[in-house]
């Protein structure tokens, strides 16, 4: 493999040299494009790139120096032209001069729409000639070719000619660039012998405005002899595009009563033709106005800017008197500065006359009537108003206020959003016996404020007369709820209280009868005439029907009306605790190993259904008459728990240990509960609590053994 390395390097070097030589042969010193066209902007912005120019000296572009004909611009090393500050007028043409030790050239920037400034190229450029710069001598003479767009047949047709004064005999012209051998291909071609340039088809300036082509001479083998030299083809604009309104729909708004000359909106059209010609110079006018009342000329459009303004007096812009508050204008844009030969385009402008609050709402009548049953709530009457303003605005929407006759806040009024009516409601039940009639004073306003020259008048207030109808109301218990406190376990037949219900219908003379509605435990009885409540069973505070020491019962009071009315009352009986429940222990089963080193058996807890002080502290004991003294021990842990332990290990068996627990009540309550203790065999991590064949101590057997021992003494 060693001998092949030098050969491979030689091949690579030769390819590099060939590529370099090919690039040198194809390189044309100077600017690659000589002429540029840019539109005059409103302002050249500081440090913002305007365009990029490509300059080559075919020797690596080292030490290239640029100069610009205007002091307001500079060229960056990357070929971008930028403004040194914000500037507007810079003339119609800028020139960029580039030079290096190997080449020198100049490019022209045509500013379309720019204005002339004084100065010559010789004044503009102060070239330093400290060292000679080789220049390319060219014999090919080309001039820009101007071709109108939209030409008709026949094609091809000659449009220009290239001249070469020193052209060698047998050489040929060759044309390249976009439009020849680059897309779009085949538009232009050149007679290789005469240099005549022809176009093969119709051109469209709006598609491509200029073509940058290149001309060169070649020998019979196709090798370049001179060039390429830039050849610019400029397409001359024809007025072949109508103005187009591209930003629709166009909708404007103007407030009614606006002063004459108020600007409503702006409409501008676009013309694809050359903006530097009259082909794209537009003028605007109004072709039609619908409707044409009260004046056929309600609006005017600025012919140059496209601003639509009002031209009628404010009195004619009264939305409430117009047949229709919407106007449609047919706007026409015409190019060629509005001359008859210009092309036109139209669009519709919709103008809405917006409402302002220049009409106050008015009630349709001064007085309204309403009736309502006592005790009822809800809407009792709808108040109607009229307002000439736009229903879709706050200038029409009504806001109602009760300004008199509502001291108890029994009434409220709200606006119906669909009808704009005022919905008057009763929110607190009325009492016929207190007041059978009510009179309210109500005002109406708009959500939006009125315009300064309009105010609310007498028609913006109304009176509402309300009649309350009497109904048979149910009796009312007082107080409700009723409360009483008694000890539990009081004797049956004890009187708890006498309930009291009154009839709100004070103008009617009616009797009241009482009955039980709900008595969950069945403990109570009520006298239907006088309402005396007594007990029919023992009251138990620990009953599941009692919650938080309170028992709840409901009673009915029924009057003698036609039909009768009923009232409901609640009785809350607070039951005081007595010590009527003995404590109980838990758990009642325990296990212990027969060879356990820790002789603790179980921790016992006690609970009591009663309340403190009839509960803990509890006293725990072992029934001494039932078991031997030197086997079991019970020790107090706290007020509610105790520890049961062995004084010695026992054989495997089941043992029943009577536990005595006593509460702290006065008098105390005591309970004796058997604790079953299983002594199990615990070997090799296995627990065997099978008591078959083991010694079994029960309370009875222990008592018999004790009696036998006493007899022997």
């Amino acid at each position: 493999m060693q001998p092949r390395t030098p050969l491979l390097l030689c091949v690579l070097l030769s390819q590099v040299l060939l590529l370099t030589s090919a690039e040198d042969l194809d390189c044309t010193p100077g600017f690659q494009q000589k002429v540029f066209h840019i539109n005059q902007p409103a302002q050249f912005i500081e440090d913002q790139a305007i365009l990029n120019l490509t300059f080559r000296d075919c020797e690596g572009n080292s030490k290239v120096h640029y100069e610009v004909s205007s002091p307001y611009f500079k060229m960056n090393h990357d070929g971008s032209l930028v403004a040194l500050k914000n500037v507007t007028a810079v003339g119609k043409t800028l020139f960029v001069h580039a030079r290096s030790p190997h080449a020198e050239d100049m490019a022209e920037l045509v500013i379309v729409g720019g204005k002339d400034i004084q100065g010559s190229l010789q004044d503009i450029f102060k070239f330093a000639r400290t060292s000679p710069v080789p220049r390319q001598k060219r014999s090919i003479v080309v001039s820009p070719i101007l071709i109108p767009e939209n030409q008709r047949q026949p094609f091809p047709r000659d449009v220009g000619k290239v001249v070469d004064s020193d052209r060698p005999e047998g050489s040929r012209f060759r044309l390249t660039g976009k439009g020849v051998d680059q897309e779009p291909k085949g538009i232009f071609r050149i007679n290789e012998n005469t240099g005549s340039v022809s176009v093969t088809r119709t051109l469209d300036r709006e598609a491509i405005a200029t073509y940058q082509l290149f001309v060169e001479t070649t020998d019979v083998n196709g090798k370049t002899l001179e060039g390429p030299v830039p050849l610019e083809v400029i397409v001359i604009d024809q007025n072949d595009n109508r103005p187009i309104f591209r930003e629709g729909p166009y909708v404007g708004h103007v407030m009614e009563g606006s002063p004459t000359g108020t600007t409503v909106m702006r409409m501008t059209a676009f013309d694809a033709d050359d903006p530097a010609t009259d082909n794209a110079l537009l003028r605007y006018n109004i072709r039609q106005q619908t409707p044409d009342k009260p004046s056929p000329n309600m609006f005017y459009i600025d012919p140059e800017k496209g601003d639509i303004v009002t031209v009628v007096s404010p009195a004619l812009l009264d939305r409430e008197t117009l047949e229709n508050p919407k106007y449609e204008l047919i706007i026409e844009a015409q190019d060629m500065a509005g001359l008859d030969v210009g092309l036109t385009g139209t669009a519709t402008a919709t103008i809405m006359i917006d409402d302002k609050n220049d009409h106050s709402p008015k009630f349709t009548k001064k007085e309204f009537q309403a009736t309502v049953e006592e005790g009822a709530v809800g809407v009792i009457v709808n108040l109607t108003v009229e307002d000439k303003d736009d229903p879709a605005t706050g200038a029409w929407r009504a806001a109602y206020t009760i300004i008199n006759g509502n001291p108890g806040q029994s009434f409220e009024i709200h606006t119906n959003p669909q009808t704009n009516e005022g919905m008057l409601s009763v929110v607190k039940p009325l009492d016929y016996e207190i007041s059978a009639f009510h009179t309210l004073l109500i005002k109406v306003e708009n959500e939006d404020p009125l315009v300064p020259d309009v105010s609310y008048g007498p028609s913006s207030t109304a009176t509402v007369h309300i009649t309350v109808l009497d109904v048979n109301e149910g009796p009312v218990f007082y107080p409700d709820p009723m409360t009483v406190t008694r000890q539990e376990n009081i004797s049956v037949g004890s009187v708890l209280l006498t309930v009291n219900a009154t009839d709100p219908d004070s103008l009617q003379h009616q009797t009241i009868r009482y009955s039980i509605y709900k008595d969950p435990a069945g403990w109570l009885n009520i006298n239907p005439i006088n309402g005396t409540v007594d007990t029919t069973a023992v009251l138990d505070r620990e009953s599941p029907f009692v919650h938080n020491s309170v028992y709840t019962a409901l009673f009915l009071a029924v009057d003698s009306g036609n039909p009768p009315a009923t009232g409901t009352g609640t009785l809350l009986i607070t039951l005081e605790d007595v010590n009527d429940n003995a404590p109980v222990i838990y758990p009642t089963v325990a296990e212990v190993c027969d060879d356990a080193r820790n002789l603790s058996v179980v921790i016992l807890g006690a609970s009591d259904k009663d309340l403190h002080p009839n509960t803990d502290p509890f006293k725990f004991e072992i029934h001494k008459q039932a078991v031997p003294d030197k086997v079991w021990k019970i020790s107090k842990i706290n007020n509610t728990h105790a520890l049961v332990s062995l004084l010695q290990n026992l054989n495997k068996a089941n043992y029943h240990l009577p536990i005595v627990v006593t509460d702290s009540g006065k008098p105390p309550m005591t309970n004796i509960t058997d604790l079953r203790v299983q002594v199990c065999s615990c070997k090799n991590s296995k627990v065997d609590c099978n008591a078959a064949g083991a010694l079994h101590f029960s309370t009875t057997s222990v008592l018999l053994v004790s009696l036998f021992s006493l007899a022997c003494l």
Side-chain angles (χ1 to χ4, degrees):
M1 299 300 293
Q2 291 291 336
R4 295 188 180 181
T5 303
L7 178 61
L8 179 61
L9 289 174
C10 292
V11 172
L12 292 174
L13 288 172
S14 63
Q15 290 178 347
V16 171
L17 290 173
L18 287 172
L19 289 172
T20 303
S21 300
E23 291 175 356
D24 292 341
L25 290 173
D26 294 337
C27 181
T28 302
F31 283 103
Q32 302 306 296
Q33 181 176 338
K34 306 295 184 182
V35 181
F36 297 83
H37 289 78
I38 59 175
N39 292 324
Q40 168 73 49
Q43 188 178 50
F44 290 97
I45 307 301
E46 180 180 355
D47 291 332
Q48 180 174 308
I50 301 170
L51 77 164
N52 290 319
L53 292 81
T54 303
F55 173 82
R56 295 178 183 173
D57 66 356
C58 300
E59 294 293 337
N61 272 22
S62 62
K63 299 182 180 179
V64 176
H65 177 70
Y66 295 95
E67 292 177 301
V68 185
S69 61
S70 171
Y72 304 122
F73 298 87
K74 71 173 182 178
M75 285 289 297
N76 291 327
H77 290 297
D78 61 358
S80 59
L81 176 68
V82 297
L84 293 175
K85 66 177 185 178
N86 295 341
V87 63
T88 53
V90 297
K92 288 187 175 182
T93 308
L94 291 177
F95 296 93
V96 178
H97 176 251
R99 63 187 176 90
S100 77
H102 308 287
E104 179 179 353
D105 202 358
M106 184 183 299
E108 179 183 2
L109 279 68
V110 178
I111 301 175
V112 179
K115 297 181 179 179
D116 283 323
I117 60 173
Q118 299 298 320
S120 64
L121 285 178
Q122 204 166 16
D123 295 329
I124 292 170
F125 289 111
K126 306 297 183 181
F127 297 148
R129 298 300 185 184
T130 57
S131 61
V133 178
R135 299 182 62 87
Q136 298 291 326
K137 180 180 179 183
R138 292 173 176 168
S139 59
I140 300 178
V141 178
V142 295
S143 298
I145 297 175
L146 306 179
I147 307 175
E149 66 174 334
N150 304 325
Q151 286 185 322
R152 299 181 180 179
Q153 295 282 355
F155 290 107
R157 62 172 64 190
D158 292 339
V159 292
K161 190 171 184 179
V162 177
V163 178
D164 189 348
S165 58
D166 297 332
R167 176 183 169 198
E169 186 175 351
S171 63
R172 301 174 181 178
F173 289 103
R174 181 163 63 191
L175 188 64
T176 59
K178 293 183 178 180
V180 182
D181 57 348
Q182 300 176 29
E183 294 295 342
K185 295 180 180 180
I187 297 178
F188 304 100
R189 62 191 184 190
I190 191 169
N191 187 306
E192 61 182 16
N193 296 317
T194 65
S196 179
V197 179
S198 59
V199 64
T200 64
R201 68 187 75 162
T202 299
L203 302 182
D204 183 0
R205 191 205 69 86
E206 287 70 45
I208 301 177
T210 61
Y211 295 85
Q212 202 67 34
L213 309 180
F214 297 92
V215 180
E216 59 186 348
T217 57
T218 66
D219 60 16
V220 293
N221 296 321
K223 183 178 180 180
T224 300
L225 299 177
E226 184 179 352
V229 177
L231 170 61
E232 184 177 28
V233 177
I234 301 173
V235 183
I236 301 174
D237 186 43
Q238 301 292 318
N239 191 20
D240 58 345
N241 287 277
R242 293 181 178 276
I244 300 174
F245 290 90
R246 301 190 299 185
E247 301 175 359
Y250 297 91
V251 180
H253 294 263
V254 61
M255 188 69 68
E256 65 172 329
S258 295
T260 303
T262 300
T263 299
V264 181
M265 59 191 297
R266 170 174 288 187
M267 290 186 64
T268 56
F270 168 78
D271 195 311
D273 290 320
D274 188 351
T277 67
D278 286 353
N279 296 337
L281 186 58
L282 304 183
R283 293 294 181 264
Y284 301 94
N285 69 89
I286 300 175
R287 293 292 303 272
Q288 181 180 335
Q289 171 190 300
T290 305
D292 59 358
K293 301 291 178 59
S295 169
N297 299 304
M298 300 285 288
F299 306 95
Y300 165 80
I301 188 168
D302 186 299
E304 296 184 4
K305 297 179 181 179
D307 291 338
I308 300 176
V309 299
T310 62
V311 292
V312 295
S313 66
L316 291 181
L317 280 179
D318 185 359
R319 186 186 176 282
E320 287 72 38
T321 60
L322 295 175
E323 293 182 3
N324 190 339
K326 180 175 74 172
Y327 285 87
E328 290 190 347
L329 308 180
I330 305 300
I331 305 299
E332 179 185 74
Q334 187 171 25
D335 59 22
M336 298 300 294
L339 297 177
D340 291 341
V341 296
L343 302 178
T344 61
T346 60
T348 300
T350 301
I351 299 178
M352 305 298 299
I353 311 300
D354 291 338
D355 187 39
K356 64 181 180 181
N357 197 7
D358 54 351
H359 294 85
S360 62
K362 298 179 180 180
F363 284 101
T364 57
K365 52 186 178 181
K366 291 298 296 179
E367 293 186 349
F368 294 84
Q369 306 292 330
T371 58
V372 59
E373 291 184 347
E374 64 173 331
V377 294
V379 178
I380 58 174
V381 65
N382 290 313
L383 310 183
T384 54
V385 295
E386 293 178 344
D387 195 316
K388 295 181 180 180
D389 291 313
D390 185 359
T393 67
W396 176 81
R397 291 190 292 270
Y400 298 87
T401 306
I402 302 173
I403 58 177
N404 196 13
N406 191 27
Q409 304 301 308
S410 300
F411 302 92
E412 287 183 359
I413 189 166
H414 300 280
T415 305
N416 186 318
Q418 281 73 41
T419 64
N420 215 31
E421 296 176 345
M423 301 182 295
L424 181 63
S425 303
V426 176
V427 294
K428 293 182 180 179
L430 303 177
D431 191 339
Y432 171 84
E433 284 70 30
I434 295 177
S435 177
F437 300 97
H438 296 268
T439 300
L440 304 179
L441 185 61
I442 297 176
K443 72 174 181 179
V444 61
E445 297 177 336
N446 289 131
E447 290 184 3
D448 292 348
L450 295 172
V451 296
D453 55 342
V454 178
S455 60
Y456 294 103
S459 298
S460 295
T461 58
T463 302
V464 181
H465 299 286
I466 302 166
T467 301
V468 182
L469 303 178
D470 187 26
V471 297
N472 186 23
E473 301 171 88
V476 178
F477 284 87
Y478 182 82
D480 190 29
M482 301 162 281
T483 60
V484 65
T485 301
R486 294 288 186 274
Q487 278 193 343
E488 64 174 333
N489 300 335
I490 60 175
S491 59
V492 175
S494 298
V495 175
L496 299 180
L497 82 165
T498 298
V499 300
N500 179 37
T502 58
D503 193 340
D505 300 308
S506 56
L507 301 181
Q508 303 179 27
H509 300 287
Q510 300 183 130
T511 59
I512 297 175
R513 293 183 63 84
Y514 301 96
S515 62
I516 295 176
Y517 179 45
K518 286 186 179 180
D519 179 15
W523 290 343
L524 306 176
N525 175 63
I526 188 170
N527 186 305
I529 305 300
N530 59 24
T532 299
V533 179
D534 56 10
T535 63
T536 60
V538 175
L539 307 183
D540 182 7
R541 193 198 66 83
E542 291 75 33
S543 167
F545 299 106
V546 177
H547 302 284
N548 297 323
S549 301
V550 177
Y551 180 72
T552 302
L554 301 179
F555 298 95
L556 298 179
V558 183
D559 65 20
S560 57
N562 186 22
T566 302
T568 303
T570 301
L571 172 62
L572 303 178
I573 305 173
T574 300
L575 296 176
E576 296 178 339
D577 186 44
V578 298
N579 195 17
D580 57 349
N581 291 277
V584 295
I585 66 167
Y586 58 89
T588 58
V589 177
E591 292 180 355
V592 65
C593 292
D594 56 0
D595 57 352
R597 295 182 180 181
N598 184 359
L599 298 180
S600 297
V601 177
V602 67
I603 294 177
L604 296 179
S607 63
D608 195 318
K609 293 181 180 181
D610 293 318
L611 299 177
H612 189 78
N614 296 322
T615 56
D616 61 273
F618 298 115
K619 180 181 179 182
F620 295 88
E621 297 176 290
I622 298 174
H623 199 295
K624 294 183 178 180
Q625 296 181 355
V627 296
D629 291 338
K630 297 182 179 181
V631 178
W632 305 94
K633 178 183 178 182
I634 190 165
S635 305
K636 178 180 178 181
I637 297 176
N638 54 32
N639 289 345
T640 57
H641 291 79
L643 173 65
V644 177
S645 58
L646 287 168
L647 298 176
Q648 63 187 41
N649 290 110
L650 296 178
N651 294 327
K652 177 182 176 183
N654 288 338
Y655 297 87
H656 292 269
L657 183 64
I659 302 297
V660 180
V661 59
T662 305
D663 63 24
S664 297
K666 295 181 180 180
M669 296 287 290
T670 299
N671 181 29
I672 301 176
T673 304
D674 270 358
L675 172 64
R676 186 164 70 94
V677 180
Q678 294 177 296
V679 179
C680 307
S681 174
C682 304
K683 295 180 180 181
N684 299 325
S685 300
K686 294 183 179 180
V687 179
D688 182 11
C689 295
N690 188 356
L695 181 62
H696 180 75
F697 287 93
S698 66
T699 304
T700 305
S701 62
V702 172
L703 288 173
L704 289 174
V705 172
S706 300
L707 291 173
F708 179 76
S709 300
L710 290 172
C712 293
L713 295 174

